[in-house]
């Protein structure tokens, strides 16, 4: 006997072979267009990813999971994003939650055990709920207005959040809030995340999401009205050396490349859609598929170049981190921006070459372009990255 308690749950390692991932991509892609039209949560795609074991791949070994590392997570998210970007975003938020808990356990034991229990039965979504209508992007600074007020038995949560991806489908919310507690310093209140089950009374959704892309992600507003949670549900975010709270979403590390991985999948989907159209399109004046023309072949080469560039940047950066090269940490934000540029360039090149068909709602390229453009909103955003990089290089 070792004295070490066995995990309460067990999750098998998924098959991450190219063939297995391609099969999941194809299954998810089969319903993507319909969910994009209806804007309903893409449960069919989520169940496909769950059956393949992809949604629990990052559960830590100490919790009975496979403990997939950043590169495997990136491959999973690229495969899911290639099928449906909205499923990819929901999966990214969940996988990064599991990866964060594996590396730095912070959830109350009972809450995380419940999330794992639910994950055995089907997709159990979790997401950090951070942005607020007045505050805007947390990465731009400022503290939330949402408050967690200390009670005799725990905390009472009140506030309104924006862009809460997952909507009513979330099993757990990780809510950024300011602590209102006896003896607290009103000038320097504690700030943390409140772990909230999605089925608690007092949670109301406001259907605000009517977006250009990621239409099925259900990134709605949510209102918390006297939501009661236990005392251990508040997890303080550590202050930096200067005494200032930093936005965890903007921190450098492997997780900062998690979301961009799904958009590499979107670019791959655009490449496939472009190639399929080019092989099938036979203008009467040409008498052969446009894929046989040098112009279209050159465009296909440009699309491929951009995707190769994005994938090489993504996995090259992760390999350096895996090897313990900490010198890349200040450069990760720039890597994210460079990948974003390549993803957008690839999809725009495909649409521009096809003209009207590429912008038609009847062709998947139009959806891929809309989804690809959403990569820009994930922190850190390009202007902030360029400014920080410039100041670092210039020493100012």
């Amino acid at each position: 006997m070792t004295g070490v308690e066995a995990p309460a749950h067990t999750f098998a390692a998924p098959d991450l072979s190219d063939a297995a991932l391609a099969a999941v991509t194809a299954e998810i892609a089969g319903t993507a267009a319909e969910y994009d039209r209806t804007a309903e949560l893409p449960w069919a795609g989520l169940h496909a990813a769950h059956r393949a074991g992809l949604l629990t791949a990052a559960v830590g070994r100490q919790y009975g999971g496979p403990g997939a590392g950043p590169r495997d997570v990136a491959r999973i998210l690229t495969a899911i994003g290639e099928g449906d970007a909205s499923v990819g975003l929901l999966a990214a938020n969940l996988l990064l939650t599991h990866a964060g808990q594996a590396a730095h356990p912070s959830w109350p034991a009972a809450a995380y055990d419940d999330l794992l229990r639910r994950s055995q039965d089907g997709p159990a979504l979790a997401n950090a709920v951070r942005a607020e209508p007045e505050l805007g992007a947390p990465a731009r600074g400022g503290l939330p207005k949402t408050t967690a007020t200390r009670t005799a038995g725990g905390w009472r949560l009140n506030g309104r959040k924006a862009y809460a991806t997952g909507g009513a489908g979330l099993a757990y919310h990780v809510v950024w809030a300011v602590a209102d507690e006896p003896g607290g310093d009103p000038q320097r209140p504690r700030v943390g995340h409140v772990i909230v089950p999605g089925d608690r009374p007092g949670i109301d959704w406001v259907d605000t999401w009517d977006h250009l892309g990621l239409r099925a992600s259900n990134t709605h507003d949510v209102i918390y009205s006297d939501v009661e949670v236990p005392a251990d549900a508040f997890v303080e975010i550590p202050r930096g050396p200067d005494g200032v709270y930093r936005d965890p979403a903007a921190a450098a590390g492997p997780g900062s490349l998690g979301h961009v991985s799904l958009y590499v999948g979107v670019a791959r989907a655009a490449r496939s859609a472009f190639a399929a159209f080019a092989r099938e399109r036979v203008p009467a004046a040409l008498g052969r598929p446009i894929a046989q023309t040098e112009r279209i072949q050159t465009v296909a080469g440009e699309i491929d170049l951009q995707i190769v560039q994005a994938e090489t940047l993504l996995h090259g950066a992760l390999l350096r981190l895996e090897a313990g090269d900490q010198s890349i940490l200040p450069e990760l934000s720039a890597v994210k921006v460079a990948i974003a540029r390549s993803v957008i360039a690839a999809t725009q090149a495909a649409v521009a070459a096809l003209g009207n068909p590429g912008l038609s709602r009847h062709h998947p390229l139009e959806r891929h372009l809309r989804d690809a453009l959403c990569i820009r909103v994930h922190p850190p955003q390009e202007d902030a990255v360029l400014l920080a990089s410039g100041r670092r290089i210039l020493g100012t």
Side-chain angles (χ1 to χ4, degrees), residues 178-225:
V178 169
D180 174 14
E181 54 191 334
D185 183 349
Q187 301 303 316
R188 287 167 55 91
R190 291 199 299 154
V191 175
H193 289 126
V194 184
I195 312 299
V196 184
D199 56 2
R200 279 294 166 95
I203 299 176
D204 294 298
W205 289 94
V206 184
D207 290 350
T208 52
W209 187 245
D210 188 12
H211 211 252
L212 178 75
L214 300 171
R215 292 187 54 77
S217 66
N218 272 231
T219 306
H220 297 300
D221 283 16
V222 58
I223 298 173
Y224 303 101
S225 303

Side-chain angles (χ1 to χ4, degrees), residues 375-392:
I375 193 172
R376 289 175 168 153
V377 307
H378 293 283
Q381 289 157 341
E382 182 166 327
D383 63 320
V385 171
L386 296 179
L387 177 61
S389 295
R391 287 175 171 171
R392 175 170 55 86

Side-chain angles (χ1 to χ4, degrees), residues 129-133 144 146 159-163 175-176 221-222 224:
V129 181
R130 303 178 52 75
E132 295 184 350
T146 300
R160 177 169 180 154
K161 294 291 189 180
Y163 305 117
V175 185
W176 195 38
D221 283 16
V222 58
Y224 303 101

Side-chain angles (χ1 to χ4, degrees), residues 303-314:
I303 295 167
D304 193 57
L305 182 153
Q306 296 294 343
I307 294 172
V308 168
Q309 182 169 269
E311 291 180 333
T312 302
L313 282 167
L314 173 61

